Amino acid sequence: MKIGVNARLLTKPFTGIGQYTKNLFTELAKIDKDNEYILVVPEKVDVHFPKNVQVKVVKEKSAGTSGMKKTWWEQITVPDFFISQGMDAAFFTYPCNPWSKDWYRGKTKTFVTVHDCIPWMNKDYRKGLLSKLYHAQTKKAVKMADKIFTVSESSKKEIVDVCGADRKKIIVAYNDAADVYGEPAGEDVLRKVLGRYGLKRGKFALYVGGYDKRKNVPLLVKAYGEFFTGHSDIPLVLVGENTDENLPYIVRTGFLPEESLAALYSSCAVFINLSSHEGFNIPIIEAANCGSPIILSDIPVHREIAGDAAMFVDFSSEKIVSAIGKALDAGKGEHLIKKLKNLSKKYSWKNCAMIIKEALTV
């Protein structure tokens, strides 16, 4: 079979969907030698796969706004390319499968991954008229796909409730972290990364993720400021998008390569994520695989993914500060670390790839 893939988010490798696309097709390249995958991107990317997974640049049109160019590429350029290349199946790694009903009258099987329902449930992601129209169409299109992949049981329930999709069409294939997070960081790398940011092993807290409103980073910063008054030797490290916080207890790194990020995970005293809505949240597994004690917001998907290997808090500064103190307690931290070993074994890109391969090729 020839399987065409909209792999647009390979152009943004630090995003969750970028990580999903890279790691999933790296694993599919290993386990599926019978089928050919053609990953379509709008520009050149620095990602390499074995020969049974090809990356093909199909450029966007030059005219129009960035949103219009993106939509035209998703809805016209990529589907036309799939048809011209005689693809047996079309796989959309995020909700951008064709809106037109005519597409589904053809012979090309259609698969889409819905990582979460956040754009359809949260108005912050639908502020302009064009954004509202775009997300309304993507929601309608999801349920027209032959199969829908998602990354947690929590997301599966939301897809049924929000999109009206047939539950029987939805397949859960959990994410994992990249292999680098399961490998011990070398001492040279540790010294280099910690030295670059003036950090000491076991003497900093860590946040890794986006900075959307739902991520609640301002709440984390506020609560950590209260904690810091009694622990002035333990800063909070924010990885990812550079933020405006200019506070004595904040260390900002910007985006980091995986090897450097793994060094921070394996050296931090605690990893904290207070998001109010997620589909999976890959940084949890990255932290778990590196042996970092974890504090999470108490939302259903975090309970599903982390089980008893994390401490859960509500969105109050008092509870967050208390949890940080407990995580830094030697006995509590050691207890959490033991639980992490079982958690890290639960998720596997190989298992994810096997589930998706079976569905694509039936």
Side-chain angles (χ1 to χ4, degrees):
M1 286 179 63
K2 288 178 67 176
I3 302 169
V5 181
N6 178 329
R8 183 184 183 91
L9 272 296
L10 281 178
T11 61
K12 297 183 179 180
F14 295 109
T15 63
I17 300 175
Q19 289 288 305
Y20 171 85
T21 307
K22 183 182 75 170
N23 288 303
L24 171 60
F25 287 96
T26 296
E27 201 59 48
L28 279 170
K30 296 176 186 176
I31 68 171
D32 187 2
K33 305 297 183 182
D34 298 325
N35 298 294
E36 182 182 2
Y37 296 88
I38 297 88
L39 276 56
V40 180
V41 293
E43 60 191 56
K44 188 176 179 180
V45 295
D46 187 22
V47 183
H48 305 281
F49 301 97
K51 62 181 180 180
N52 56 323
V53 176
Q54 302 175 35
V55 178
K56 174 71 175 179
V57 176
V58 178
K59 294 184 177 181
E60 292 181 340
K61 286 185 172 292
S62 58
T65 65
S66 60
M68 292 170 62
K69 287 189 289 186
K70 173 179 177 288
T71 302
W72 185 274
W73 187 83
E74 291 172 343
Q75 294 298 313
I76 305 297
T77 304
V78 172
D80 283 353
F81 176 78
F82 289 165
I83 292 171
S84 70
Q85 298 298 307
M87 302 296 180
D88 300 294
F91 182 8
F92 300 87
T93 54
Y94 61 98
C96 61
N97 51 304
W99 303 342
S100 170
K101 292 181 180 179
D102 289 341
W103 168 267
Y104 301 94
R105 298 188 183 105
K107 296 180 180 180
T108 308
K109 289 186 176 181
T110 304
F111 302 84
V112 61
T113 298
V114 179
H115 300 265
D116 55 63
C117 293
I118 292 168
W120 304 315
M121 298 175 70
N122 189 326
K123 292 181 180 179
D124 289 338
Y125 295 83
R126 308 188 311 276
K127 290 187 175 179
L129 176 60
L130 291 178
S131 177
K132 290 177 182 177
L133 291 172
Y134 176 87
H135 289 301
Q137 290 298 109
T138 59
K139 185 169 74 169
K140 290 179 183 177
V142 160
K143 60 184 179 182
M144 293 193 285
D146 291 284
K147 293 290 182 183
I148 302 164
F149 301 121
T150 194
V151 294
S152 66
E153 292 292 341
S154 298
S155 278
K156 178 176 180 175
K157 181 180 183 303
E158 287 184 354
I159 295 165
V160 173
D161 293 344
V162 174
C163 301
D166 182 349
R167 179 178 294 274
K168 295 177 182 177
K169 292 168 60 171
I170 306 173
I171 299 169
V172 175
Y174 287 112
N175 288 328
D176 189 14
D179 290 344
V180 66
Y181 299 105
E183 301 165 357
E187 284 297 320
D188 289 344
V189 175
L190 286 171
R191 282 195 296 268
K192 182 178 179 180
V193 174
L194 295 180
R196 183 186 309 155
Y197 300 107
L199 302 171
K200 295 180 180 179
R201 195 175 306 187
K203 286 289 187 178
F204 63 94
L206 180 66
Y207 170 77
V208 179
Y211 288 77
D212 313 37
K213 186 177 179 180
R214 66 184 169 89
K215 297 290 188 175
N216 290 312
V217 176
L219 171 61
L220 171 58
V221 169
K222 176 180 178 295
Y224 204 86
E226 297 175 18
F227 172 79
F228 189 77
T229 58
H231 302 81
S232 59
D233 60 335
I234 306 177
L236 171 64
V237 177
L238 301 179
V239 176
E241 178 182 323
N242 278 317
T243 59
D244 296 330
E245 289 86 0
N246 186 20
L247 299 166
Y249 57 91
I250 299 295
V251 176
R252 295 172 292 178
T253 70
F255 292 106
L256 293 175
E258 289 179 335
E259 187 179 49
S260 297
L261 184 52
L264 291 183
Y265 277 126
S266 62
S267 303
C268 71
V270 61
F271 168 77
I272 310 172
N273 188 293
L274 304 177
S275 180
S276 60
H277 198 163
E278 294 289 341
F280 183 89
N281 210 348
I282 290 176
I284 295 173
I285 309 305
E286 293 174 347
N289 288 1
C290 291
S292 169
I294 298 170
I295 295 173
L296 299 174
S297 50
D298 195 355
I299 59 176
V301 71
H302 282 171
R303 289 279 184 177
E304 177 185 349
I305 301 306
D308 63 355
M311 296 177 63
F312 296 95
V313 296
D314 61 22
F315 298 105
S316 71
S317 292
E318 181 182 354
K319 295 291 179 62
I320 296 164
V321 171
S322 175
I324 296 170
K326 290 178 182 177
L328 296 183
D329 177 83
K332 184 66 175 179
E334 186 62 31
H335 174 73
L336 289 173
I337 290 171
K338 288 179 180 178
K339 296 284 188 180
L340 293 174
K341 293 179 181 178
N342 292 328
L343 180 62
S344 63
K345 295 175 184 176
K346 181 179 176 181
Y347 301 102
S348 161
W349 280 120
K350 182 177 181 180
N351 289 344
C352 176
M354 289 177 69
I355 291 168
I356 287 177
K357 172 183 177 292
E358 182 179 357
L360 288 172
T361 56
V362 167

